[in-house]
Each structure stands twice: as structure tokens, then as C-alpha cells.
Amino acid sequence: MTWLIVTREVREFYRDGRFLFGAGLVAVLFITAFLVGYEQRQNVFSEREVAQQLDYDDWINQPERHPHDAAHQGMHVFKPIPPLSFVDPGITNYVGSTQWLKAHRQTEVKFRPAQDATGLQRFGSLTPAWVIQVLGPLLIIVLGFNSFSGEREQGTLRQLISLGVPSWKLLRGKALALFLGAFLLIAPLLLFSVWAVSGDDLAGSRHDTLIRSGFLVLGYLVYLGIFIFVTLAVSALTATSRISLIVLLAFWIIGTTLAPRALVDVARMVYPIPNQAEFNTQLNQELQREYAEAWQEHFGTDKRWGSDVPLSRWGEALRVDDYAGYDAIDRHFGALWDRYEDQRRLQEFFGLLFPMLSIRSYSMAMSATDFTHHRDFATSAEDHRRLIQDLISSNLTQHADGHGERHFDYKVGKEFWSKVPRFEYAAPAAFFALQGSLNSLGVLLASLLISIAFAFWSSRNLI
Amino acid sequence: MLKANSLTKNFNSNIALNSVSLSVSQGEIYCLLGANGAGKTTLINHFLGFLKPTSGEVLVNGKCVTSNPLDTKRDIAYIPENVMLYGVLTGLENLEYFSALATGRKKPRDVLRKLLADVGLPAEAAERRVATYSKGMRQKVGITIAMAKNAKALLLDEPTSGLDPKAANEFSRLLKTASENGVAVFTTTHDLFHAKETGNRIGIMRSGSLLAEFNSDDVSHADMESIYLKNMRD
Ligand SMILES: Nc1ncnc2c1ncn2[C@@H]1O[C@H](COP(=O)(O)OP(=O)(O)OP(=O)(O)O)[C@@H](O)[C@H]1O
Ligand SMILES: [Mg+2]
């Protein structure tokens, strides 16, 4: 009986042309976005591989010199491109993809763009995620706005109810029919998952990619499910299909364009973050204080790199200085990054009203392109920088400090350079993404349950 | 089978039904006559559970409609004055859908085609989209849907409106067959002749009140007309 209702609905979508037009258009956009994104990823992917290799070659082949000079020149590390980034590029284009590992400071390049990370304004960029998040609900609305109200106008609803068909069965059938539409939209993503396991260019992360796309599909089904039940509820409550359409379009516009922008500002107000100049000033002040304290403690002077400390102790001093900085850096960046996460979480909660706010976050996390993943990369890069620093300061302590006043005549070559390992970064596994998405997924599931309850309540009395 | 006990319905201050009591038993054909706005459709809507009584109650097969909205609908089939169907589906598909929903079982298409032919819908029309149908053609599909349900009671609200005389006549025959099989038929009509021909019992309503009830065998055509007009006058 349910299947009967489903096939009739689908037949109607199909015969009145809505399905071919709406779903066809959305599917074409989706596939285009998919191919464009994939193409770009392939290009950038190989570019980065090459750049990373060249940079490390430069490091290994640099001439003999004082290790600290080498540290000033530093090394560049490149963020690997997550396999699913072409589905949802997330903050990819807003944060730096390279990080400069150099002496003394965690570089700033990496968090300047990250300031925009939560203020992400991706509207207008054609990505598969955008198509599902924005056009997906529109497709559902176009297919479903007259589900009940149209039949009420037509008079067929009375006819159905007079047969003794329980309204919940009608609701279930209509919801399933709309899910078919939603499924059509998500099918390319599923196809990709299948292809991901059989493809060969994603070796190593294949399994993880499959799990991630599975969760991505799940999340999007929940997301579209929310719209399906809201659409049916509104259609059941409104007297005419014209009113249902107006109400639903208003909800769509607010939920997919206005609310996401407005909530970014709200989150910024609730959890303010310093601008870059302020952040740097504060960090510098803190660093100076830490440095002074450490130098005072070790060398009895608060003047760094002055004549009070003989050159024969500069290797040791470098180490003291570095370690004094690490704490301050961790504290400051940690606090800033925690703020970003607070902002994100706040927006996710508003997903109860506007589901796009939680799916946006969830989708980025599953695609490994959200801020949490970026943070993981930045932390690894910083660890690598510290590894280089520690190698250098201990080398200087062992060898250069013995040279006394001729400290800066000390030089190292290839043998030392190759002690610094390549930067090998593996993006965290799907489980990491899931842990970070408990909040957004929870909100999505709660919204789905609420919308289902709302739909059943609205359709309890259809005449 | 169908029973109304002192049924009263007010729409705000407007009294649409005023303490109406009537009953239709199995095998009986009850024809309700009355001017426009008398309350006939309102009464039928109560049997269908589309309206809630202000006071009194309506029973189908002994069960109160208000408290058993689904159960009571299973026992009745309904033909409205204007049968509403899905325009993008063919007549056959409409019949297939509605009758499958009503009975929970999908009937073979050939059986359905035969049913449509029985009420006089041309075979060619059965395969056309309903959007292209005339009113009478839709009415015929509606009649088939109701008949295919094999319900214990038929509720008919001016079912023959839009039917040509031949089709109306065939429909009367269908009703008689149904009542012979023990179906209770409750129908509203404006056609005194038709009421006398098909009905066993006839009721006359005006302004929400049931004014007269009699057996059709007890009166002649001429009597009926005068009784009707007398009740409409004062
Ligand atoms: N939903 C409603 N709201 C307010 N008044 C209504 C409603 N439905 C019917 N009425 C009123 O109830 C009265 C009876 O209407 P009803 O439709 O039952 O008449 P009827 O006997 O079926 O007439 P007709 O022969 O024209 O079909 C009318 O006065 C009508 O205006
Ligand atoms: Mg009427």
C-alpha cells in the first residue's frame, strides 16, 4: 500500500514535468560541480607533491652553513589535499595550504586566513556540497510543496480520506517518494564512494575515504529528510498550495542564505576574536615576558642575545629561548583556535532552526576540510618545526659552543641537513572527524526527529 | 447500518442540521430530497467523519463515527457530487490507485477495465488522462471506484449529476443490484422521478430539518410531487 502511494507520487512528479526539470537541472549542476572539483583537485594534488619534493631537495642540498642560518631560511610544508575536498572544499581556499617552518616563531600565514574560516562565505561557488545544501532543499520543496495542499485543492484528498486511508500512511508514502528525489541527488556521491574503493590514485586513504563518504551520504540524507518532513508538514497545514509554496520558499531563503551569514556575525559577537594586529601584539608581549624570565633564570640577565651571555653558550641559549617561546605560542594559538571552535559550535546549535548551519559544519568535517582538520595539520607542522629547532640547538650545544668566540664559524653540511626528516603528514582518520561532529550530527538527528513529529502532528487531521 | 441520532450541526450561528434522526438498514435505498442548502451534503459529511456533530451522534454499522474515524470509513464507499481524480493519471490508473487503497489489494487491470466498461466509460477513454475528461466521465470513474470497494454502505451525494439519462438509468440498476446484495444505500438527489424509481424510502429535508419520511411504494408520482412542494412551501 505504501509502495502504491510512492509510485503514484513519483508518476505525478514525472508526468507533470517537475521531476525532469527540477531533478534534472540539479543533477546536471551537481555532476558539473563534481567534475570541476575533481579536475581541480587532481591538478593541485600533483603540483603540491612536486613542490613538497622540491622544497625538501632544496633543504638537503643547501650549502654548508651555520645551522641557525638554515633555520631562518626554514622549510616549507604543504598540506595534503583531502580526497573528498572536491565534494566540499570547506575552508580550503581560505586557509593557507603551506606553512613556513622557521626559527623562533610559529608562522602567522597559517592563521590569517583562518580568521575567515568560520565566516566562510561560499555562496556562489559551485561545489557539490553547495548544490546539495542549497539546491537540494529547493528541489524537495518544488517536488513536495503541494503534496497535501495540492490534493486538498484538487479534492482528491477527501476522496482518499473517505476510503479510510490513515493519514500517517499517506504521509509515509509521500515522504518516501520525496526521499527518492533526494536519493537521486545524492546518488553521484554514492557512486563516488564505490569508485573510491576501486580507484587507484587514493591508495592508502581509500578505506578512510569510503567511511567518510558513507557518513557524508548519511548526513545529507538526514539533512534532506528534515526538509522533506518540514515540506510535508507545511503542505498539510496550509489551505492552498500557493500558500505552502510561499511559506516554504521563505523558510528556504532564510535558512540557506540569510541565517548562515547572520549566524557568523552572531558567533563573532558572542565569542569575539582579536584581529591579527592585536593578536600579534599580545603574542609578542607574552613572548618577550617569557623570554626575559627564562634568560633571567638561566643566564642572570633579561637581555636576549646580548654580550652578557658568551658566544660559547649560544647553543644552549637558543634552546632555552625556544622552549620559553613554545609555551606562549601554545597558549595563544590554543586560545584563539578554541574560540573558533566555540563559534562553530554555536552556529551548529542554530541548526535546530536552520539545518544548513549544522550540515555545513558536518559536511566540512567529513570531507576533512574544516577548521578542526586544519588545526590538526597546523599542530603537526609546528611539531615538525620544533623538531628542527631542537635538532639545531642540540647540535649547536654539542659542537658550536666548544668553539667559543668563533661560534659563527661553525658550519654543517648535508650530513646534518639529512638528519631533518621529511615532513610526513597523514590526515586524521574518519573517527577523528566523527568525534568532532558529534555536536552537528546530534543537532541534525534531533532536527530530523522534530520534523518527523511535526509532520505527523500536522497531518493527523487532513480535512 | 447508517444511523443519525438527533444530529445537530451549527456553523457559527447558522443551523445546518437541526436534530436530524434517520436510519438506513441493509438492502435499503434511502433517497434524501431537499432544496439547495437544506443540509444534505452536511449530513453525508458527518457519516464520513469530515464534520463533527455539534450534538447528537452518527453511527456506521453500530460504531460511532467520531470515535472510530478509520473503522467506519472501511464500511462505506462515497461518491461526491463532483468526483475528484488525479488529472495526470488515466481513468484506469485512478481506479487502480483508489480501489487498491480502499481494499488493500491491487486488482488486475483487465478486471478494472471491465468495471469501467460496465458503467459505460468507453474503452478508449479509460486509457486517457483524466484531465481530458468531461464531468460525467469523471463521475463514472467515481462510481466504479465506489463499487469496486464492495462496501457495506454507499453514501452518494447527487451521484448522477452530469450523467446522461442512459448512464443515470444504468446507475440506478447498479444501485438496485447492490441493495439486493445487502448494501445499504444513502443517496441525495434533486430528481423526484429517480427517487421514486430507485428508492425504497424517501426523506424530505428543509433548512436542516427532516420534515417527512415515507416508503416509495406508498405513494404515486403525483403524490410525491405534491408532498415535496407542500413541504417546501410553508
Ligand atoms: N463549511 C461550512 N461553513 C459554514 N456553513 C456551511 C458549511 N457547509 C455548509 N454550510 C451551510 O450549511 C447549509 C447546508 O449546506 P449543504 O451543503 O449541506 O446543503 P445541500 O443540501 O447539500 O445543498 P445542495 O442541494 O445545493 O447541494 C447551507 O446553508 C450552507 O451555507
Ligand atoms: Mg449538496
Side-chain angles (χ1 to χ4, degrees), chain B residues 36-37 39-42 81 157-158 188 190:
Chain B
N36 297 129
K40 304 182 295 294
T41 301
T42 307
E81 189 178 344
D157 197 355
E158 295 176 43
T188 73
H190 291 299

Side-chain angles (χ1 to χ4, degrees), chain A residues 1 4-5 7-9 11-12 15-16 151 153-168 170 174 461 463, chain B residues 45 48 50 70 73-74 76 78 80 83-90 93 96-98 100-102 104 106 109 129 142 145 149:
Chain A
M1 180 131 132
L4 197 69
I5 299 175
T7 41
R8 196 212 63 82
E9 294 284 327
R11 197 176 275 168
E12 174 147 347
R15 290 213 183 144
D16 70 9
E151 288 215 42
E153 281 171 331
Q154 241 185 327
T156 45
L157 194 57
R158 278 172 78 89
Q159 191 90 31
L160 282 176
I161 299 298
S162 80
L163 295 177
V165 182
S167 51
W168 63 267
L170 277 180
K174 284 171 184 288
N461 212 340
I463 292 297
Chain B
N45 283 341
L48 289 165
F50 291 165
L70 283 178
K73 283 193 196 78
R74 286 202 187 104
I76 50 189
Y78 163 62
V83 172
M84 293 303 179
L85 303 166
Y86 296 103
V88 296
L89 303 189
T90 67
E93 285 168 340
E96 183 180 45
Y97 181 63
F98 282 112
L101 281 184
K106 221 169 163 168
R109 288 214 158 184
R129 289 192 187 189
I145 292 171
K149 190 173 179 180

Side-chain angles (χ1 to χ4, degrees), chain A residues 341-356:
Chain A
E341 309 261 3
D342 289 339
Q343 291 186 345
R344 174 181 62 107
R345 207 162 302 117
L346 180 75
Q347 294 188 44
E348 284 172 6
F349 276 121
F350 276 87
L352 270 181
L353 290 177
F354 309 109
M356 181 159 174

Side-chain angles (χ1 to χ4, degrees), chain A residues 253-274:
Chain A
I253 289 173
I254 294 171
T256 57
T257 64
L258 302 182
R261 284 162 203 250
L263 261 295
V264 168
D265 293 332
V266 170
R268 279 198 183 133
M269 260 161 9
V270 178
Y271 297 109
I273 39 170

Side-chain angles (χ1 to χ4, degrees), chain A residues 211-361:
Chain A
I211 298 176
R212 280 173 181 272
S213 21
F215 275 106
L216 209 51
V217 167
L218 182 84
Y220 277 123
L221 279 178
V222 172
Y223 174 67
L224 293 177
I226 296 167
F227 278 92
I228 285 172
F229 285 103
V230 168
T231 299
L232 290 173
V234 170
S235 187
L237 288 177
T238 45
T240 68
S241 48
R242 186 199 296 235
I243 300 175
S244 345
L245 189 61
I246 291 171
V247 171
L248 287 165
L249 285 182
F251 177 63
W252 176 74
I253 289 173
I254 294 171
T256 57
T257 64
L258 302 182
R261 284 162 203 250
L263 261 295
V264 168
D265 293 332
V266 170
R268 279 198 183 133
M269 260 161 9
V270 178
Y271 297 109
I273 39 170
N275 64 31
Q276 196 178 349
E278 285 165 6
F279 179 83
N280 282 339
T281 314
Q282 285 166 11
L283 177 61
N284 276 332
Q285 282 169 357
E286 181 82 5
L287 280 172
Q288 295 315 325
R289 201 163 52 243
E290 293 275 344
Y291 288 146
E293 210 170 276
W295 283 72
Q296 186 65 252
E297 189 185 321
H298 282 85
F299 307 113
T301 173
D302 57 5
K303 190 162 180 301
R304 296 165 76 207
W305 314 117
S307 51
D308 296 342
V309 179
L311 283 179
S312 64
R313 293 187 70 186
W314 274 34
E316 184 192 342
L318 183 62
R319 185 165 203 117
V320 168
D321 194 76
D322 277 344
Y323 274 80
Y326 293 166
D327 282 347
I329 287 171
D330 284 345
R331 256 201 318 279
H332 271 257
F333 277 92
L336 178 72
W337 291 346
D338 286 347
R339 272 285 157 107
Y340 288 145
E341 309 261 3
D342 289 339
Q343 291 186 345
R344 174 181 62 107
R345 207 162 302 117
L346 180 75
Q347 294 188 44
E348 284 172 6
F349 276 121
F350 276 87
L352 270 181
L353 290 177
F354 309 109
M356 181 159 174
L357 288 162
S358 32
I359 191 68
R360 181 166 69 167
S361 186

Side-chain angles (χ1 to χ4, degrees), chain B residues 30-36 40 157-169 171-172 187-199 201-204 214 216 221 224-225 228:
Chain B
Y30 191 114
C31 290
L32 188 63
L33 299 166
N36 297 129
K40 304 182 295 294
D157 197 355
E158 295 176 43
T160 52
S161 78
L163 289 189
D164 57 62
K166 179 167 170 283
N169 207 278
F171 179 63
S172 296
T187 173
T188 73
T189 182
H190 291 299
D191 185 343
L192 302 186
F193 180 78
H194 170 78
K196 165 83 182 88
E197 284 299 295
T198 33
R201 260 183 97 62
I202 293 171
I204 297 179
F214 46 87
S216 62
H221 279 298
M224 248 193 76
E225 192 155 354
Y228 181 80

Side-chain angles (χ1 to χ4, degrees), chain A residues 61-91:
Chain A
N61 295 322
Q62 62 186 317
E64 291 207 344
R65 55 165 131 179
H66 189 271
H68 191 64
D69 288 347
H72 266 282
Q73 185 193 318
M75 192 192 256
H76 291 87
V77 291
F78 295 79
K79 191 166 142 187
I81 304 164
L84 287 172
S85 65
F86 69 99
V87 174
D88 190 348
I91 61 169

